[in-house]
Amino acid sequence: MPHFTTSDGLSLCFDDTGGPGPIVLCLSGLTRNASDFDYVRPHLKDARVIRMDYRGRGQSEWAEDFTTYNLVREAQDALELLDHLDIDKTAILGTSRGGLIALTLMEMAPNRITGVCFNDVGPVIETEGLEVILVFIGRKPVWTTRSEAAEALATRLPGFHNVPPSRWAEEAAHHFVETADGLNINYDPKLRNAVLAEFDPKAPAGDMWPQFNKLKGRPLAVLRGENSDILSQKTVTEMQSRAPMLAAEVKDRAHVPFLDEPECLDVLHQWIAQLPNGEPA
């Protein structure tokens, strides 16, 4: 996959399918990478799909200063990728962290965002779900092989049902590296330090409703796993009351849906059909 260099000198990995149709920048979950969208990408032939590994994740370079693993810097990286590709405007398909980056961009460069589809994330993050994430982020896996990890994901990940074993094997391959000392994570462990600094679970819960409100008038969509502990149904209802948007609850899924579920694909195709065709800058 190709790379580009950020304004602070990091080499970040990206993927661009090219082709006609609206431009959709896919932004992944907190510890994850462009492979988050491997399942859905073959279904999105009606769009130009661009994916990026955040700094410190996947095939992108790790930062010497872990404090740059923050929403504002990652949003700036996204803008610099668009500049690198001579793209003026894009829609965003944001999974978890990616949706928060989309909201951050509405503060930084709202005129460059044509629409957003939120995958199991919204302006309010449930504290319960955040605390679960903080337990494992940056930790070396306890399993020794990807096969063990896949079996564990299938039996221990709450809220997911009727997922074939092959999917958990793919997930293990996407997110764990096999080494002589067992499995390891494929992102900078110091991401944990950055998240603890950015999100204090003991502090009053903030929200990003002001940024969300700026999205009104653009094509919007939200996907929620029916068992999600990050995005509540209450938040989805509030999102829908503030702006017209497509929405689906994904059966047998928690945080996050894989995006190739029928409910997701139906919403995604409707959403893409509403987006303006992207033109180079």
Side-chain angles (χ1 to χ4, degrees):
M1 291 171 67
H3 288 68
F4 76 102
T5 303
T6 65
S7 57
D8 62 347
L10 282 190
S11 176
L12 303 189
C13 181
F14 72 94
D15 177 57
D16 180 3
T17 64
I23 299 170
V24 177
L25 176 61
C26 297
L27 299 177
S28 59
L30 173 63
T31 65
R32 302 162 74 92
N33 53 65
S35 66
D36 261 3
F37 304 98
D38 279 1
Y39 312 126
V40 72
R41 188 174 62 160
H43 299 279
L44 302 184
K45 296 178 180 178
D46 46 353
R48 176 182 172 184
V49 176
I50 300 168
R51 305 180 296 168
M52 179 179 76
D53 284 354
Y54 304 136
R55 54 180 55 217
R57 283 82 135 189
Q59 298 179 49
S60 288
E61 191 175 2
W62 293 7
E64 289 187 15
D65 179 4
F66 72 80
T67 64
T68 66
Y69 300 143
N70 64 69
L71 289 172
V72 172
R73 179 64 244 194
E74 289 164 11
Q76 183 63 39
D77 291 343
L79 292 175
E80 291 178 8
L81 172 58
L82 297 180
D83 292 341
H84 174 77
L85 295 172
D86 291 324
I87 292 171
D88 183 33
K89 300 178 185 232
T90 186
I92 294 177
L93 170 54
T95 289
S96 193
R97 175 79 160 195
L100 300 183
I101 292 174
L103 291 172
T104 303
L105 286 167
M106 291 307 296
E107 197 69 47
M108 296 171 61
N111 293 335
R112 301 190 71 173
I113 307 305
T114 60
V116 178
C117 178
F118 297 92
N119 181 22
D120 211 65
V121 68
V124 177
I125 302 298
E126 297 302 311
T127 303
E128 176 186 357
L130 178 59
E131 289 175 346
V132 170
I133 291 171
L134 292 177
V135 169
F136 70 81
I137 186 172
R139 308 285 197 194
K140 182 179 171 64
V142 297
W143 314 294
T144 57
T145 66
R146 285 173 172 167
S147 295
E148 286 182 13
E151 291 179 11
L153 291 172
T155 57
R156 300 181 191 176
L157 205 58
F160 285 86
H161 309 290
N162 298 313
V163 178
S166 60
R167 177 52 55 87
W168 293 125
E170 290 175 294
E171 283 290 282
H174 284 165
H175 305 297
F176 299 116
V177 179
E178 289 186 327
T179 73
D181 298 322
L183 284 191
N184 208 345
I185 53 178
N186 62 350
Y187 61 91
D188 187 347
K190 289 184 179 178
L191 181 61
R192 176 179 184 83
N193 304 71
V195 172
L196 288 172
E198 192 172 17
F199 297 108
D200 182 357
K202 297 180 181 179
D207 66 55
M208 300 182 80
W209 288 118
Q211 293 89 334
F212 178 83
N213 291 338
K214 295 180 181 180
L215 283 166
K216 189 173 182 179
R218 296 169 172 83
L220 302 175
V222 60
L223 305 165
R224 178 183 182 268
E226 68 170 351
N227 302 315
S228 176
D229 59 359
I230 287 289
L231 177 63
S232 70
Q233 184 55 59
K234 177 182 177 181
T235 297
V236 171
T237 300
E238 180 66 17
M239 292 167 74
Q240 292 175 295
S241 74
R242 294 187 182 219
M245 62 194 314
L246 300 163
E249 188 162 274
V250 189
K251 182 177 174 59
D252 291 337
R253 298 292 182 264
H255 186 75
V256 291
F258 299 114
L259 290 176
D260 62 346
E261 297 90 349
E263 304 99 313
C264 294
L265 294 178
D266 181 56
V267 165
L268 283 168
H269 288 306
Q270 292 184 62
W271 175 66
I272 289 170
Q274 296 176 4
L275 295 172
N277 274 327
E279 298 293 340

